Amino acid sequence: MDGGYAEFVKARADMLVPIPAHLAAAEACTLGCSATTALHAARRIAPVQLGDTVLIYGAGGVGYALVQVCKLSGAQVLVVGRSERKLQLAQQLGADAVIHAGQEPVAETVRRLTGNEGVDIIFELVGTRGRLVFIGYSEDQLIANPLLLVIGELQILASVGSTQQDLLDAVALASSGKLRQVIDRVVPLTQVNETLQAVQRGEVAGRAVLQP
Ligand SMILES: NC(=O)c1ccc[n+]([C@@H]2O[C@H](COP(=O)([O-])OP(=O)(O)OC[C@H]3O[C@@H](n4cnc5c(N)ncnc54)[C@H](OP(=O)(O)O)[C@@H]3O)[C@@H](O)[C@H]2O)c1
């Protein structure tokens, strides 16, 4: 408390996680709420297993971490986005294929890329088979056809936040170089308003870091 837009933040001592000296502060501070969310959703909720095909809808802070965590789990990873730069970053982080939502039909492309098999797990988007894991905070309505759910034995799941163990694991993975954070910019805290506007305009790929 009282929030992170300050020079000092009060935290419960037993919730603190040590950061190795060689892990840059800007990278470490972005692990919570991106890498931790991805670890929680991919390992505990989905869970992603060796050989799974995974579709990640949204190439951003959580999506980039999901790409890497799913690859570490031995999955084939497809990413849907709508900006070239953000999709290129997903590819650099290990995505097997990227789909530009504005330029190609997503469902058709997924079927083509998977030899008509579809995917096992979708993070965020409604699919036709497998497990759908909601991470995005959307107030959209989800209309589900129970018959199709039953026939496909579909599972709709939701994943919120993370545990302290997820944070410990995120720090360990980042520290050993297995998980890279995408940091668009590091700016002084005084530039908070301009930075939030840039986020709203969709200009920030991954995370922006405010430095007190
Ligand atoms: N459940 C939890 O515990 C938890 C934790 C953290 C975050 N979240 C939520 O999870 C969501 C993702 O978080 P984030 O930090 O990764 O956000 P982010 O960095 O803003 O990334 C979201 C990405 O989705 C893309 N996108 C948005 N609408 C799209 C569409 N219609 N088609 C294709 N791509 C689209 C955006 O790309 P463009 O800008 O190019 O459109 C952006 O790159 C947010 O709703 C966030 O609030 C939930």
Side-chain angles (χ1 to χ4, degrees):
M1 60 180 80
D2 298 315
Y5 292 173
E7 212 167 334
F8 298 99
V9 177
K10 222 165 145 185
R12 259 178 50 190
D14 65 343
M15 296 308 291
L16 297 177
V17 167
I19 306 294
H22 66 270
L23 188 60
E27 189 165 358
C29 76
T30 63
L31 289 170
C33 200
S34 58
T36 54
T37 306
L39 283 171
H40 193 74
R43 298 187 312 181
R44 280 170 231 275
I45 305 296
V48 177
Q49 279 156 9
L50 184 69
D52 277 343
T53 302
V54 172
L55 181 78
I56 297 165
Y57 208 99
V62 179
Y64 291 143
L66 270 174
V67 169
Q68 298 171 82
V69 171
C70 293
K71 288 306 296 176
L72 285 172
S73 308
Q76 190 199 357
V77 176
L78 316 179
V79 178
V80 181
R82 55 183 179 183
S83 112
E84 203 52 49
R85 179 169 79 101
K86 292 179 181 178
L87 285 173
Q88 270 174 15
L89 279 164
Q91 245 168 343
Q92 284 165 19
L93 293 169
D96 296 285
V98 295
I99 301 165
H100 200 301
Q103 292 176 7
E104 47 194 331
V106 176
E108 221 170 90
T109 309
V110 169
R111 279 195 290 274
R112 179 174 51 76
L113 289 169
T114 58
N116 259 338
E117 284 290 309
V119 300
D120 301 295
I121 300 167
I122 300 175
F123 288 100
E124 288 242 358
L125 181 73
V126 176
T128 53
R129 199 173 77 185
R131 285 156 282 164
L132 165 68
V133 183
F134 278 103
I135 298 178
Y137 295 131
S138 160
E139 290 191 13
D140 289 346
Q141 299 294 308
L142 170 70
I143 299 168
N145 176 329
L147 180 65
L148 292 181
L149 289 178
V150 173
I151 291 170
E153 284 197 336
L154 306 184
Q155 295 176 43
I156 299 179
L157 307 159
S159 176
V160 68
S162 50
T163 63
Q164 192 184 24
Q165 189 58 51
D166 291 319
L167 182 55
L168 284 161
D169 294 345
V171 170
L173 283 168
S175 170
S176 65
K178 290 191 182 127
L179 186 76
R180 269 179 51 210
Q181 289 299 98
V182 175
I183 298 164
D184 194 88
R185 63 195 79 182
V186 180
V187 295
L189 183 56
T190 47
Q191 286 179 23
V192 58
N193 289 332
E194 298 92 304
T195 309
L196 286 175
Q197 282 156 12
V199 169
Q200 270 175 339
R201 288 194 298 267
E203 290 167 13
V204 173
R207 291 284 182 261
V209 174
L210 298 169
Q211 208 160 39

